[in-house]
Amino acid sequence: MRKYIGEIGLIITAIIWGSGFVASAVSLEYYTPYQILAGRFVVGALILAIVFHKRLKMIKKSALIKGSILGIVLYIAFALQTVGLQYTTPSKNAFLTAVNVVIVPFIGFIIYKKKIDIFELGGAFMAMIGVAVLSLKFSSEVNVGDLLTLCCAVGFAFHIFYTSKFVKDEDPIQLTIIQMTVAAVIGYVVVVFKSETTFSMEAEGLLPLLYLAVFSTTIAFLLQTTAQKFITETKAAIILSTESFWGMAFSVVILSEVMTGKMAIGAILILSAIVISETKLGFLKKKRLNGMFEKGDTRV
């Protein structure tokens, strides 16, 4: 039951992040990328601190250190993604960010000698291919934006991996509060350093920014951190990769984007990746065994 709770939590997180594409597109018309990062993390940290203020008294040194590591990695990953987007196409940015899904299992293998689950790895590659078909406009050009986005994928991979590792011994709510606070502090310092402290208060820009802060940041990362307590890091990465699928769905519904056959194929590949990693194709094995018994073959 806990495993299913974890999976549902991550699916909701991916849906929220997918809807965030629309909010981000609108927010960028009123704020700089660094203002958006600072705004979403500052508001997120404040909300979490107010709602869970009683937990702040019980924070241990170990949670403080681990949460700070997650916060630093999270901000760096988002910043690399944001800067990378200025030099590459949105489709390449989305695809290269999703490469984190295949990096995650190798982090465990290389650093901690953790055995790689062949079904989860296969699902990870299929999810990445699905994201490519869904969003990528193929081009042979590689520029600095592509390299920065690839670095962002590494950052998100480490964030997913260490979230799963740290949450086993720490309170997920405390970890979320700490990482949001650390990311907020870094975001504020960057905005001040870049002299971008003047924020637009127009409702058209403020409302989508608040949506990003409340839903895509506060609720989504709280769900992610809590859910990863009950699920492996590779499976978590695969489920979170459906963010691109949900982004497509919201673009079709809200922005009236035309649904294409290419989008449908990409979506099928991503959903198939989840089925493979979740079931390990056990239903095929059961079907084969049932067929053998029906023919009178009792070999297993």
Side-chain angles (χ1 to χ4, degrees):
M1 180 58 71
R2 287 186 174 185
K3 183 189 75 168
Y4 294 124
I5 290 173
E7 290 172 351
I8 292 169
L10 290 175
I11 289 171
I12 295 173
T13 299
I15 293 173
I16 293 173
W17 283 348
S19 67
F21 282 117
V22 177
S24 294
V26 177
S27 296
L28 282 169
E29 296 178 11
Y30 297 87
Y31 305 103
T32 70
Y34 295 105
Q35 286 178 324
I36 292 173
L37 286 179
R40 65 189 295 178
F41 286 129
V42 168
V43 173
L46 287 174
I47 293 173
L48 288 170
I50 292 170
V51 175
F52 301 106
H53 63 277
K54 292 183 180 179
R55 304 232 181 184
L56 298 176
K57 301 175 183 178
M58 302 180 287
I59 292 178
K60 299 181 293 183
K61 183 179 178 181
S62 59
L64 196 60
I65 294 172
K66 293 172 183 176
S68 297
I69 292 172
L70 291 177
I72 293 169
V73 172
L74 183 63
Y75 186 86
I76 291 173
F78 266 114
L80 287 168
Q81 183 186 48
T82 304
V83 176
L85 185 55
Q86 295 177 332
Y87 300 100
T88 189
T89 62
S91 60
K92 267 191 175 183
N93 189 264
F95 166 66
L96 292 171
T97 299
V99 171
N100 75 76
V101 75
V102 295
I103 297 174
V104 170
F106 287 104
I107 292 175
F109 177 72
I110 294 171
I111 299 178
Y112 297 99
K113 308 300 179 187
K114 185 176 179 180
K115 186 178 178 182
I116 296 178
D117 185 303
I118 191 64
F119 291 101
E120 289 188 352
L121 183 62
F125 273 103
M126 182 173 283
M128 188 182 72
I129 294 170
V131 173
V133 173
L134 190 68
S135 63
L136 191 59
K137 294 177 181 176
F138 292 96
S139 168
S140 59
E141 289 185 22
V142 177
N143 57 41
V144 66
D146 299 331
L147 296 176
L148 288 172
T149 307
L150 195 57
C151 290
C152 121
V154 175
F156 281 123
F158 272 98
H159 183 267
I160 291 171
F161 180 84
Y162 279 106
T163 295
S164 284
K165 186 173 178 61
F166 292 160
V167 82
K168 287 180 172 61
D169 303 312
E170 306 294 344
D171 182 346
I173 293 176
Q174 290 182 356
L175 282 179
T176 307
I177 294 172
I178 296 166
Q179 69 173 313
M180 285 298 110
T181 303
V182 170
V185 171
I186 297 172
Y188 178 78
V189 170
V190 170
V191 164
V192 171
F193 180 76
K194 292 180 68 64
S195 300
E196 297 179 355
T197 52
T198 303
F199 276 75
S200 169
M201 297 305 291
E202 293 182 54
E204 293 83 357
L206 197 58
L207 289 176
L209 179 59
L210 287 174
Y211 179 86
L212 288 173
V214 175
F215 291 93
S216 296
T217 305
T218 309
I219 296 175
F221 279 104
L222 185 61
L223 278 172
Q224 181 202 352
T225 308
T226 304
Q228 283 196 238
K229 196 177 185 73
F230 311 115
I231 195 170
T232 67
E233 61 274 7
T234 302
K235 195 174 289 184
I238 293 171
I239 294 175
L240 291 174
S241 73
T242 63
E243 170 191 1
S244 57
F245 164 76
W246 295 110
M248 173 207 71
F250 281 105
S251 295
V252 170
V253 174
I254 298 175
L255 301 180
S256 300
E257 187 173 330
V258 179
M259 181 74 174
T260 65
K262 183 168 166 279
M263 288 180 176
I265 293 171
I268 291 170
L269 285 169
I270 293 171
L271 297 176
S272 297
I274 296 176
V275 172
I276 290 173
S277 65
E278 176 64 29
T279 66
K280 304 187 189 300
L281 300 180
F283 59 91
L284 293 179
K285 184 178 179 182
K286 289 180 182 178
K287 187 175 180 181
R288 182 175 64 84
L289 287 174
N290 288 337
M292 289 170 61
F293 285 125
E294 286 174 4
K295 293 177 181 179
D297 189 346
T298 56
R299 289 176 298 172
V300 178

